[in-house]
Amino acid sequence: MSGVAVAQVLPSEGRAPLESEIKSTVRATDRDARLRWMVDEYIDFVARVLRNAGTPAAEVDDDVQRTFIAAARRLDDVRPGAERSFLLQTALYVAAHARRTLARRREVAADEAPEQVDPALTPEQLTDQKRARVMLDRVLSEMDGDLRTVFVLYEFEELSMAEIADALSIPRGTVASRLRRARGDFRDKVRALGATKKGDVSL
Amino acid sequence: MNDPRRLRDEADSTVELLLLEAGATYRSSDNARAKTLAALGLAGSAAVSAGVLSVATSTLLGKASWTKLLLFSGLGATVAAPVGYVAWRQTHPQAIAVTVPAAAPRPPAARVIAAREPVLGAENLAPAPAAPAPKVESRATSASVLAAELGALDVVRARLSNGDTSGALAKLDDYSRTYPRGRLVLEAEVLRIDALSRAGQRDQAKKRAEAFLRRHPNSVLATRVRGYLD
């Protein structure tokens, strides 16, 4: 504990701090350090999972906060070393809630014009990353939710199938099956955008 | 059962690759980080030391001495007493053994584009346009303002944690005057509600809490604010 932190627990009337007061401050400082480390280390990860799992762009910032606030509330239950997994599960839960809210909003405003994307965009035009993001959102939004989650975790977060099985509490065979279907679905939808040119990438 | 290769390693079109990269390279905003730190009561030192506002660092270094920076950093780390989070601690008083991994694995996305560029070639992926200098400068200014806002709220929290509610309210008045359109105004308002409540001005705290919830019913901070209605 730093000198400043010790000074914080010294009672103003000059008596020696109680052991319980010192321990309490140490605990608070440790928790703060752990939380701060989690934010520094995983905020991009959390934002990406939220966004790719269907949280609208305008709501990602708020949902990032929600995810970390939930983590802070349950910090004592999070095993050291399992922070990423806890944040992942929380972010997926928060994203599912965001998707449901969005769906309800669309039902209410049924005449709201959907986001339009020009299906005839060329690869050159797509180099604008924002445009690519819009296209990706469209493709992902049309995928089945279960397939989408496995796809996002495997292809964007580069989790292993075993890690995904653990995170989602499903058998590894189910992960493999969903991933296979998700990839096929993703490719079909990308081709359907009308912008695919076979063989234009020399891999 | 071996894991299959990632789709980015066997993309069958530039469009497919671009979409995959768009998904893998998404980043949180400086704003999200600042608001998250503020909501958790971890502002100030964390923002500076973790490189959250890295764009502004060189600017700040030019204006502040190392002594001031270290003092700012140290005080922020130890003095910050998060409002609301204090309440969570009270409901979770048990001690925990904290193990902060020394080197956590970085998310994989950052290396994606760099790794792919030589394979694709410049003819297939247009080079990212170089950011014009004024924009970088503007971002640095914006980030340093955000750092200053976080610092100002840290001071408020420090006053509150020491029981100096009138000092905290005075500092909040300073914040409102300095940053009338600040990016952390909602966080500041929650701190004000908390300070009023702690100062015994519960009616005033309740009025402000009701007004906050009318204007921002879906705010991340709404749950915390509802606690002041009872």
Side-chain angles (χ1 to χ4, degrees):
Chain A
M1 184 166 50
S2 73
V4 179
V6 172
Q8 289 295 302
V9 301
L10 284 172
S12 55
E13 59 269 33
R15 69 172 168 79
L18 298 172
E19 190 180 344
S20 60
E21 290 174 329
I22 295 176
K23 280 183 178 171
S24 167
T25 301
V26 170
R27 279 200 301 271
T29 307
D30 285 349
R31 289 177 59 100
D32 285 356
R34 190 182 185 201
L35 260 181
R36 196 157 43 232
W37 172 80
M38 287 169 69
V39 172
D40 291 343
E41 198 62 33
Y42 294 123
I43 192 165
D44 284 338
F45 168 71
V46 166
R48 200 165 47 244
V49 167
L50 286 165
R51 187 74 184 90
N52 289 324
T55 301
E59 290 168 28
V60 169
D61 285 6
D62 279 356
D63 281 356
V64 165
Q65 285 184 71
R66 285 192 176 94
T67 302
F68 280 101
I69 286 173
R73 283 178 176 151
R74 294 193 49 199
L75 196 60
D76 294 343
D77 302 329
V78 182
R79 185 172 46 81
E83 292 88 354
R84 188 183 187 207
S85 176
F86 179 84
L87 288 169
L88 168 61
Q89 290 171 357
T90 307
L92 288 174
Y93 177 84
V94 170
H97 184 266
R99 284 199 306 271
R100 284 195 296 272
T101 305
L102 187 65
R104 276 200 300 272
R105 226 180 284 156
R106 281 181 178 156
E107 279 173 19
V108 172
D111 55 346
E112 182 185 342
E115 202 165 37
Q116 292 297 317
V117 179
D118 181 359
L121 286 174
T122 65
E124 286 74 23
Q125 288 169 313
L126 268 175
T127 50
D128 178 339
Q129 194 155 11
K130 280 187 180 171
R131 214 170 271 167
R133 182 71 237 185
V134 172
M135 301 288 269
L136 176 64
D137 285 345
R138 176 171 170 174
V139 169
L140 291 176
S141 71
E142 290 172 357
M143 289 174 75
D144 170 85
D146 289 339
L147 302 190
R148 172 184 184 153
T149 300
V150 171
F151 182 82
V152 161
L153 297 181
Y154 192 81
E155 301 296 350
F156 298 153
E157 301 310 325
E158 297 195 358
L159 266 58
S160 68
M161 290 205 291
E163 288 172 320
I164 296 172
D166 279 350
L168 302 181
S169 301
I170 55 176
R172 197 173 161 191
T174 305
V175 175
S177 156
R178 286 183 187 175
L179 181 61
R180 194 167 49 247
R181 288 160 54 206
R183 287 174 147 199
D185 194 27
F186 179 81
R187 284 203 151 144
D188 287 347
K189 286 178 169 43
V190 171
R191 289 190 188 111
L193 289 173
T196 304
K197 287 183 180 176
K198 271 263 183 188
D200 61 352
V201 180
S202 29
L203 291 172
Chain B
M1 194 190 312
N2 290 329
D3 286 3
R5 293 175 71 198
R6 311 289 163 176
L7 216 49
R8 285 198 302 283
D9 295 332
E10 49 189 33
D12 67 2
S13 73
T14 301
V15 173
E16 184 176 292
L17 190 58
L18 284 167
L19 297 196
L20 290 167
E21 286 178 349
T25 55
Y26 187 84
R27 290 279 177 277
S28 67
S29 64
D30 283 353
N31 217 32
R33 192 182 285 263
K35 281 177 168 288
T36 301
L37 291 171
L40 296 173
L42 302 173
S45 64
V48 175
S49 64
V52 175
L53 308 169
S54 55
V55 179
T57 306
S58 56
T59 312
L60 288 173
L61 285 175
K63 293 179 180 172
S65 69
W66 279 106
T67 313
K68 282 179 184 169
L69 284 174
L70 287 172
L71 185 64
F72 177 61
S73 174
L75 284 175
T78 52
V79 173
V83 176
Y85 181 47
V86 170
W88 304 335
R89 283 187 185 134
Q90 286 167 351
T91 58
H92 296 83
Q94 66 271 36
I96 53 162
V98 177
T99 306
V100 175
R106 299 292 305 171
R111 58 189 161 81
V112 173
I113 285 183
R116 304 296 304 171
E117 275 174 352
V119 180
L120 282 166
E123 69 279 9
N124 288 322
L125 263 184
K135 198 171 181 180
V136 172
E137 195 173 307
S138 158
R139 195 175 165 218
T141 307
S142 165
S144 62
V145 170
L146 197 52
E149 283 191 54
L150 285 166
L153 295 189
D154 261 358
V155 173
V156 174
R157 287 194 188 91
R159 298 279 170 110
L160 280 174
S161 68
N162 288 333
D164 179 10
T165 51
S166 58
L169 287 165
K171 287 293 173 188
L172 282 167
D173 290 341
D174 289 347
Y175 173 86
S176 300
R177 271 193 299 274
T178 311
Y179 308 104
R181 293 181 181 180
R183 278 189 270 179
L184 301 177
V185 285
L186 295 188
E187 287 76 8
E189 179 62 11
V190 176
L191 282 170
R192 185 181 292 279
I193 292 167
D194 185 65
L196 288 167
S197 176
R198 288 181 189 217
Q201 301 178 45
R202 297 190 193 286
D203 285 349
Q204 188 65 17
K206 189 177 175 185
K207 272 184 194 168
R208 293 193 86 108
E210 286 169 347
F212 183 100
L213 291 170
R214 268 198 306 278
R215 285 196 302 269
H216 313 286
N218 299 317
S219 164
V220 173
L221 303 168
T223 305
R224 191 193 298 179
V225 172
R226 282 190 194 98
Y228 295 98
L229 294 180
D230 303 326

